[in-house]
Amino acid sequence: MELRRFQKFALSILPLIFLGLMFSTHSARATEKIRVMAELAPPFLNADGSGYSIALLREIEQEVGMEFTVQVVSSFERAWRYVASGDADIVLHIAQGKEGIEFYNNMLESSWYFPVHPTIYFKDVAKRDLFLKATKEPVDELLRIGLPMGNVHYGVSSLGLPSGTFLQAPMDSLVLQLDKDRIDIIWCMKLTVDRALRKHNIQGVSSMRYPVGATIHLGAGYRATSGGRKLQQKLDTAISKLNLEEMFPNIYQK
């Protein structure tokens, strides 16, 4: 009699045990929340939250068991410092091997990257020639070069020009200022400037790859800790399985 009661009791709680196991397994595989910081950089990160970088993160979310929450900030400088201080996990759109000493003292780089082409934009050929001359020797003439927010350090180190030469602003503002002759040159990624020029229907602007033939590797950065390295390795492994040229043909156009 007692045995039958025990068997009946055991059968009655089996579904509860099964449900408990399912809940436990689901909890163990719960999606990890990852905080991503970036400045606007169309077409990699657009104002509406779309972009090539976002599409890449969404593509690997399920495989890595993570949910990426992207927060836009006003400059790259702010973005990477959030990560370095532990207030975020990933910063997008680093120029691999081109950032400052302080960055590399605190951060790690991804192994994946998008190849982008630094390009100068100008309306006046004389200003282009002055720019080219200024990168080789001191000049007396005033030269006003537009850069995206938080990138003056990169302009100084790459072009050898004083920081006062550069004006930082969002790309929409830069193309409008170039159109109105308030700045002489924009130096930035070709895809980003081309998109802004089309958006504002600006004509009469010429461009030239500079440095000639140069390519910048645009990747991601992680905090230089054991946790940051694990995150870096996990995402690098997942992205290495993707065919980026097939996913983003516009980026890989010659």
Side-chain angles (χ1 to χ4, degrees):
M1 190 70 176
E2 292 297 325
L3 179 60
R4 285 199 299 271
R5 286 178 179 172
F6 175 77
Q7 289 173 332
K8 187 176 181 180
F9 171 74
L11 288 172
S12 69
I13 67 171
L14 275 176
L16 297 177
I17 295 173
F18 178 69
L19 286 172
L21 288 173
M22 286 184 63
F23 179 77
S24 175
T25 303
H26 175 75
S27 297
R29 295 184 299 184
T31 302
E32 184 180 358
K33 308 290 186 181
I34 300 296
R35 300 158 298 175
V36 182
M37 307 296 292
E39 86 283 26
L40 288 178
F44 299 93
L45 175 57
N46 304 317
D48 64 0
S50 65
Y52 297 143
S53 300
I54 307 307
L56 179 60
L57 293 179
R58 299 291 177 243
E59 183 70 22
I60 64 170
E61 273 186 326
Q62 187 171 353
E63 178 175 344
V64 298
M66 296 175 181
E67 179 182 341
F68 299 104
T69 302
V70 181
Q71 181 178 343
V72 177
V73 293
S74 60
S75 71
F76 174 76
E77 180 86 6
R78 289 188 64 192
W80 80 257
R81 289 188 183 281
Y82 271 111
V83 177
S85 65
D87 293 322
D89 305 298
I90 302 173
V91 58
L92 293 177
H93 311 141
I94 72 168
Q96 292 184 349
K98 305 289 187 180
E99 303 298 346
I101 294 174
E102 189 179 2
F103 178 91
Y104 291 110
N105 286 339
N106 293 277
M107 302 288 288
L108 305 168
E109 293 182 334
S110 61
S111 64
W112 68 268
Y113 60 84
F114 290 132
V116 298
H117 308 304
T119 301
I120 60 170
Y121 288 77
F122 53 92
K123 291 178 65 181
D124 185 344
V125 173
K127 293 297 184 181
R128 178 205 64 187
D129 293 343
L130 178 61
F131 169 87
L132 296 175
K133 181 180 179 181
T135 60
K136 297 180 176 63
E137 60 187 69
V139 296
D140 295 327
E141 298 92 330
L142 176 65
L143 188 63
R144 301 160 298 177
I145 302 173
L147 287 177
M149 297 293 294
N151 285 275
V152 167
H153 71 284
Y154 181 52
V156 171
S157 62
S158 299
L159 301 178
L161 300 175
S163 59
T165 307
F166 301 101
L167 170 73
Q168 300 183 86
M171 186 51 63
D172 284 343
S173 173
L174 290 177
V175 296
L176 291 171
Q177 291 188 68
L178 180 65
D179 187 46
K180 295 176 181 178
D181 298 319
R182 292 176 180 168
I183 58 175
D184 306 307
I185 300 284
I186 294 175
W187 187 55
C188 188
M189 300 177 293
K190 178 173 173 56
L191 284 171
T192 299
V193 185
D194 285 351
R195 186 183 181 96
L197 291 172
R198 288 194 301 269
K199 175 182 176 181
H200 295 282
N201 194 29
I202 294 174
Q203 308 294 323
V205 175
S206 301
S207 65
M208 176 183 129
R209 283 269 295 273
Y210 189 86
V212 176
T215 299
I216 294 174
H217 293 171
L218 204 67
Y222 311 85
R223 191 161 54 260
T225 61
S226 59
R229 186 169 297 280
K230 287 178 182 178
L231 180 60
Q232 170 207 38
Q233 292 171 347
K234 192 169 187 176
L235 269 59
D236 281 352
T237 298
I239 292 173
S240 70
K241 300 174 184 177
L242 303 175
N243 186 334
L244 298 185
E245 291 190 38
E246 190 175 278
M247 288 179 65
F248 308 106
N250 288 344
I251 298 177
Y252 290 86
Q253 288 178 350
K254 301 298 184 184

